[in-house]
Amino acid sequence: QVQLVESGGGSVQAGGSLRPSCVASARTFNAMGWFRQAPGKEREFVAALSFTWNDGSIYYTDSVKGRFTISRDNAKNTVYLQMNSLKPEDTAVYYCAARSGPPTVARRAYEYWGQGTQVTVSS
């Protein structure tokens, strides 16, 4: 069993930056990703990457390309999401997820989930 703990959310004005992180309790997964859920909406994919040493697969949803960067620290079992040029529509609870298979945009493919961290962007 893997436990995921997110931190680093917060409130910023439009155009600002945040860098949430997610620490895993054990390294029994191959991929980690970030999803987000806004009030009244379904949880949606944001970004994902592989922790396999020789596999640099990274994926982003179109709405965050060029603004968000996902990265990892293998030694710390940690994934980060650098969020720049934030917009009010980025406001959501951001969830970290992990899976034993390769990274994917499919929410249901992820086996482990964190509790989420709130990101609020004001105009």
Side-chain angles (χ1 to χ4, degrees):
Q1 191 77 342
V2 177
Q3 292 185 333
L4 305 176
V5 179
E6 304 103 331
S7 63
S11 298
V12 296
Q13 291 190 327
S17 298
L18 286 171
R19 191 192 188 210
S21 60
C22 174
V23 180
S25 61
R27 179 67 186 283
T28 56
F29 54 88
N30 176 68
M32 293 186 77
W34 287 95
F35 289 74
R36 65 186 179 186
Q37 188 167 17
K41 296 187 176 181
E42 291 190 354
R43 193 170 299 187
E44 65 174 2
F45 171 79
V46 176
L49 54 63
S50 172
F51 268 68
T52 301
W53 186 255
N54 294 321
D55 182 352
S57 300
I58 297 179
Y59 304 93
Y60 296 97
T61 191
D62 286 346
S63 63
V64 307
K65 286 180 180 177
R67 300 188 298 123
F68 291 10
T69 303
I70 188 171
S71 62
R72 71 190 195 204
D73 185 330
N74 287 50
K76 297 180 179 180
N77 288 344
T78 300
V79 66
Y80 304 93
L81 186 66
Q82 178 67 48
M83 306 189 294
N84 298 328
S85 302
L86 282 161
K87 305 175 181 180
E89 50 264 44
D90 294 318
T91 295
V93 177
Y94 282 70
Y95 295 91
C96 173
R99 68 184 303 257
S100 55
T104 175
V105 304
R107 172 170 54 93
R108 299 182 190 279
Y110 287 82
E111 301 147 52
Y112 308 105
W113 290 87
Q115 294 300 307
T117 184
Q118 177 70 46
V119 170
T120 303
V121 185
S122 58
S123 58

